[in-house]
Amino acid sequence: MSSDRWVLRVFTPLREVNGNLTGYFEGVRLVPAWQRKQILVDSLTVALMVGLASLLCGGVLYPVVIRLSSENQRKAQEVLESHISMMEALGRAIAKRDSNTGAHNYRVAWISAMLAETLGIKGDGMQALIAGSFLHDAGKIGIPDAILLKPEKLTEDEMDLMHTHVTMGEEIITGGGWLDGAREVVACHHEKWDGSGYPRGLVGEAIPLVARIFAIVDVFDALCSKRPYKEPLPLNEVMDILQQGSGVHFDPKLLKVFSSIASKVYETTIHASEAEVRALMKKMVRRHFGN
């Protein structure tokens, strides 16, 4: 096409009587002005019709899409809330057998999440840590009361039976859908950095990160809390005990990071009621399970 003329190159196949292709006839056709105008008008008309159809379809579908999106978000939120409620209910059931309070589960879950946030952990890792913290002692459901609630020191055989709560807890949550994420904490929270833990005797970074985080927090909360067999210890004594376990029971790098936030979490949780730590945990859950 030149600046003032349109031309069409035409190729027509030439065939023999039997249909075999023998060549092409090439020609050039000059497009008259009226036809050029018609082509432009037709093209513009089609473009406008397509644009109008798109706008009409969009206008009709937009409220439907918005409604479906809102409905999906509502359904997803309902499913999430039901999962969290199930997690909390199971955690409370476990705690009732052991300490008659669910405050321990809320505290360790919140403190673990605080440490994880300091480490920059997000997404599935954070969700697995929170769920695992709630359910870390799930296997204690299978421990007889005579051992679980015994006020005296356990015998060696009784201690061996108590240790089975880890594998029983892993069996309870395995195959539980979204609760599978809690498995690493449940299965490995009694492993120790130097390999002297149970049930697998894992060493160092072979222990899952979420379990290494929780191990520090679980001992911290136990030392800070009143139990039937002990009074709570002051923060300085608690941290001294934790430091003695650095490189033995605990990951030294994680313990160093935890030491930087220990005072804050201690002041926040030491006098908090179960309802208060539950409220703290709900805020944490909304931050990390809401998307």
Side-chain angles (χ1 to χ4, degrees):
M1 182 183 74
S2 65
S3 59
D4 57 352
R5 291 186 302 174
W6 287 12
V7 293
L8 294 177
R9 296 180 67 185
V10 180
F11 293 85
T12 303
L14 301 177
R15 299 181 183 276
E16 297 177 346
V17 176
N18 61 8
N20 292 333
L21 181 67
T22 59
Y24 291 91
F25 172 79
E26 179 180 356
V28 177
R29 178 178 180 274
L30 180 65
V31 179
W34 68 267
Q35 197 170 29
R36 296 203 307 267
K37 182 178 180 181
Q38 186 63 45
I39 292 172
L40 291 172
V41 170
D42 290 346
S43 300
L44 181 59
T45 300
V46 171
L48 289 173
M49 290 178 66
V50 170
L52 181 59
S54 299
L55 289 174
L56 289 174
C57 288
V60 171
L61 293 177
Y62 180 75
V64 177
V65 171
I66 292 298
R67 182 175 63 82
L68 290 176
S69 177
S70 177
E71 184 71 10
N72 285 340
Q73 289 180 357
R74 186 180 66 81
K75 293 287 187 183
Q77 186 63 31
E78 288 178 355
V79 171
L80 172 62
E81 289 177 358
S82 68
H83 285 169
I84 293 171
S85 296
M86 180 176 66
M87 177 180 71
E88 289 182 319
L90 182 54
R92 285 196 301 270
I94 298 162
K96 289 294 183 183
R97 289 212 62 217
D98 190 11
S99 59
N100 201 37
T101 174
H104 168 68
N105 286 339
Y106 289 116
R107 282 196 307 269
V108 293
W110 182 78
I111 297 172
S112 295
M114 288 291 289
L115 176 52
E117 284 187 339
T118 306
L119 294 166
I121 297 173
K122 300 177 182 178
D124 292 344
M126 177 65 85
Q127 293 178 7
L129 176 60
I130 291 174
S133 299
F134 267 107
L135 305 177
H136 65 282
D137 277 339
K140 285 186 176 180
I141 289 176
I143 302 298
D145 285 349
I147 295 176
L148 187 65
L149 304 178
K150 184 177 179 179
E152 297 88 12
K153 183 178 180 179
L154 298 180
T155 66
E156 185 174 341
D157 288 342
E158 290 171 337
M159 185 62 72
D160 288 341
L161 183 56
M162 176 66 83
H163 285 178
T164 64
H165 83 276
V166 174
T167 52
M168 283 193 288
E170 186 177 4
E171 290 170 0
I172 288 170
I173 65 167
T174 298
W178 77 283
L179 287 180
D180 275 342
R183 189 177 63 83
E184 288 187 336
V185 174
V186 174
C188 301
H189 69 283
H190 282 296
E191 301 289 347
K192 294 183 180 180
W193 183 256
D194 66 354
S196 63
Y198 66 90
R200 295 175 174 87
L202 300 178
V203 179
E205 293 186 358
I207 305 169
L209 175 59
V210 289
R212 283 181 272 143
I213 289 172
F214 182 78
I216 295 172
V217 174
D218 193 31
V219 174
F220 172 82
D221 186 72
L223 295 173
C224 291
S225 303
K226 179 179 174 61
R227 297 289 171 87
Y229 52 85
K230 62 173 283 293
E231 292 297 318
L233 299 179
L235 179 61
N236 63 322
E237 291 186 28
V238 170
M239 296 311 298
D240 285 344
I241 294 172
L242 291 182
Q243 287 300 329
Q244 292 171 20
S246 179
V248 179
H249 190 160
F250 310 117
D251 180 334
K253 292 180 180 178
L254 293 184
L255 183 59
K256 183 176 181 180
V257 176
F258 179 73
S259 298
S260 69
I261 65 168
S263 178
K264 176 182 178 181
V265 299
Y266 179 84
E267 294 299 329
T268 303
T269 61
I270 188 62
H271 298 301
S273 66
E274 180 174 342
E276 289 170 334
V277 290
R278 184 171 187 265
L280 287 173
M281 196 60 240
K282 275 187 169 291
K283 292 180 181 179
M284 187 69 75
V285 166
R286 279 196 291 269
R287 278 209 299 275
H288 295 287
F289 285 80
N291 296 321

